[in-house]
Amino acid sequence: IPEGARGERRLSGFRLLHTHLAKGGLSRPDLTVLFLNRLDSLAALEVEDGRPTTLHLAFLSPPKALEEDWRILPPKPYFQYLEFDHKAEVEALEEELARQARVRELVDGSGERAILVGVDRGEGPEAEAYLAELAELTRTAGGVPVKKVLVFRPHLDPRYLVGLGKLEELKSLAYHENASTLIFGLELTPTQAREIEKATGLKVLDRTQLILDIFALHAKTPEAQTQVELAQLRYLLPRLVGKGKELSRMGG
């Protein structure tokens, strides 16, 4: 699936159609691909003796419209979907996404909506206090903390910090809260920052980056602004190097 920008008002512009060689509807992994990539739609076509038979079709649900992140249409023989107005279905969903985004702008202003993620490694009340402090830092930086999530994790995942399954839950929560950013209370390694961003399609910050953003916001003199910018670039450098040809020169 091509990587591309997925804004909160639009879908990706891609439809995924694949075949099922055995009978059965859309699987959980199928639907997760639909959701995580904000696909226009996902379809699975059953094939028997080399011929197409039943078509299974699913679309994303508008945020908070249903308990599930997706809406599955009734399975039908594929030819009954040939006249289906796919474009109208996608346009209606994108109009609802845009409407909800406009409502949020009126309520929250222009602040960036963020999901705050704290990790409890056995600290108990201290972990909750750190998460509350992270919310205050987010507000100071001009963000809007819409949800606080405390994850109990004695041993951190070296790649995804809180595990891939938990990241899928956070992505779902961000979708329903129309948040575009995940802010972690722990300092992320360059690998974790890249993998989390790749897995969720969301902007990812950690506590250190958030504090640097606050310093940048309040730096007044040219010298202070330059020093803060240099600190930010030094912190971001390991996250750029090795991220692919498109960023190799930027890293340099």
Side-chain angles (χ1 to χ4, degrees):
I1 299 173
E3 293 184 7
R6 297 185 287 273
E8 62 177 10
R9 299 171 183 240
R10 298 294 303 275
L11 302 176
S12 69
F14 293 102
R15 311 174 188 180
L16 176 59
L17 169 65
H18 67 290
T19 56
H20 276 190
L21 301 183
K23 291 185 177 181
L26 295 166
S27 66
R28 183 81 184 190
D30 285 337
L31 296 166
T32 299
V33 168
L34 165 71
F35 175 72
L36 292 180
N37 293 277
R38 291 179 74 100
L39 297 176
D40 285 17
S41 65
L42 176 76
L45 182 64
E46 293 183 14
V47 177
E48 296 181 23
D49 299 324
R51 296 180 179 276
T53 56
T54 304
L55 184 72
H56 304 267
L57 185 60
F59 295 88
L60 286 179
S61 297
K64 295 187 175 179
L66 298 170
E67 290 186 1
E68 293 287 359
D69 298 322
W70 43 75
R71 182 167 53 88
I72 303 174
L73 274 60
K76 297 180 182 179
Y78 79 94
F79 54 83
Q80 293 186 15
Y81 274 118
L82 292 179
E83 302 301 322
F84 181 76
D85 195 341
H86 187 282
K87 182 181 178 181
E89 192 79 17
V90 172
E91 288 179 346
L93 178 55
E94 290 190 332
E95 286 177 6
E96 178 61 18
L97 292 173
R99 185 192 68 80
Q100 293 193 18
R102 290 193 297 269
V103 170
R104 289 190 307 277
E105 288 176 0
L106 291 173
V107 173
D108 298 329
S110 58
E112 191 172 348
R113 294 171 65 87
I115 303 294
L116 311 186
V117 186
V119 179
D120 182 359
R121 304 178 67 180
E123 299 96 339
E126 289 185 10
E128 296 181 4
Y130 289 144
L131 190 55
E133 183 184 45
L134 188 65
E136 292 303 316
L137 289 172
T138 301
R139 294 187 185 96
T140 303
V144 180
V146 293
K147 283 288 182 179
K148 293 185 291 184
V149 179
L150 187 61
V151 181
F152 181 73
R153 186 96 188 185
H155 304 289
L156 302 180
D157 188 315
R159 187 174 181 183
Y160 297 112
L161 188 72
V162 293
L164 188 56
K166 178 58 69 173
L167 288 184
E168 291 181 0
E169 293 179 18
L170 292 172
K171 170 69 176 180
S172 175
L173 181 60
Y175 176 73
H176 288 285
E177 295 295 337
N178 292 284
S180 59
T181 305
L182 292 176
I183 303 179
F184 289 84
L186 297 181
E187 185 170 321
L188 300 172
T189 66
T191 298
Q192 288 170 337
R194 288 196 296 267
E195 292 299 325
I196 293 172
E197 189 170 304
K198 183 178 178 181
T200 62
L202 299 169
K203 180 180 177 181
V204 176
L205 298 175
D206 62 16
R207 181 187 176 86
T208 301
Q209 287 174 285
L210 188 61
I211 292 173
L212 286 173
D213 285 348
I214 293 172
F215 277 118
L217 194 64
H218 293 87
K220 301 301 181 183
T221 67
E223 182 181 2
Q225 291 171 349
T226 302
Q227 289 176 341
V228 172
E229 185 176 1
L230 180 60
Q232 288 177 312
L233 291 174
R234 282 175 173 165
Y235 192 76
L236 287 173
L237 179 61
R239 290 157 171 75
L240 297 175
V241 175
K243 196 174 179 181
K245 294 181 180 178
E246 70 277 7
L247 283 183
S248 59
R249 291 185 181 179
M250 188 182 295

